[in-house]
Amino acid sequence: RSPWDNSLAGTIPMADEDALESACRAAAAGIDETRRLSRQSRAAACRRVSELLTARAAEFTELIVRESGKPLQ
C-alpha cells in the first residue's frame, strides 16, 4: 500500500511449497544450461533483458512512485 494515501500499489501472487520447489528446480536447471552457453550468447541474453526492462521503464517508475508515496519529479 502507498504510504501517501494507503491505496493499493499492486498485488503479488502467493506460491505454495510445491510451486517454490518447482521454481528452485527450474532455476538450478537454468544455471547448468547457462554455464554451457558461450560468453557471446550470455552477453546477448543480458542485452535482451536490458532492452526488455528499458521498454518497461515508465511502468516500473510508476510502480515505484506508488510504492514509495513520493511524487515523481
Side-chain angles (χ1 to χ4, degrees), residues 43-67:
C46 287
R47 282 190 295 274
R48 181 64 178 139
V49 168
S50 175
E51 291 167 0
L52 293 170
L53 290 172
T54 299
R56 295 180 62 188
E59 178 186 346
F60 297 138
T61 300
E62 176 61 30
L63 179 58
I64 291 167
V65 167
R66 281 185 295 173
E67 288 175 342

Side-chain angles (χ1 to χ4, degrees), residues 30-45:
I31 289 172
D32 290 338
E33 188 173 325
T34 300
R35 285 183 180 142
R36 289 190 290 271
L37 294 174
S38 68
R39 270 186 277 169
Q40 293 83 3
S41 294
R42 289 193 304 271

Side-chain angles (χ1 to χ4, degrees), residues 14-25:
M14 295 298 291
D16 61 15
E17 190 171 337
D18 290 338
L20 179 59
E21 287 293 327
S22 177
C24 288
R25 282 192 301 274

Side-chain angles (χ1 to χ4, degrees), residues 1-10 66-67 69:
R1 295 211 172 255
S2 169
W4 178 257
D5 63 4
N6 204 35
S7 64
L8 186 63
R66 281 185 295 173
E67 288 175 342

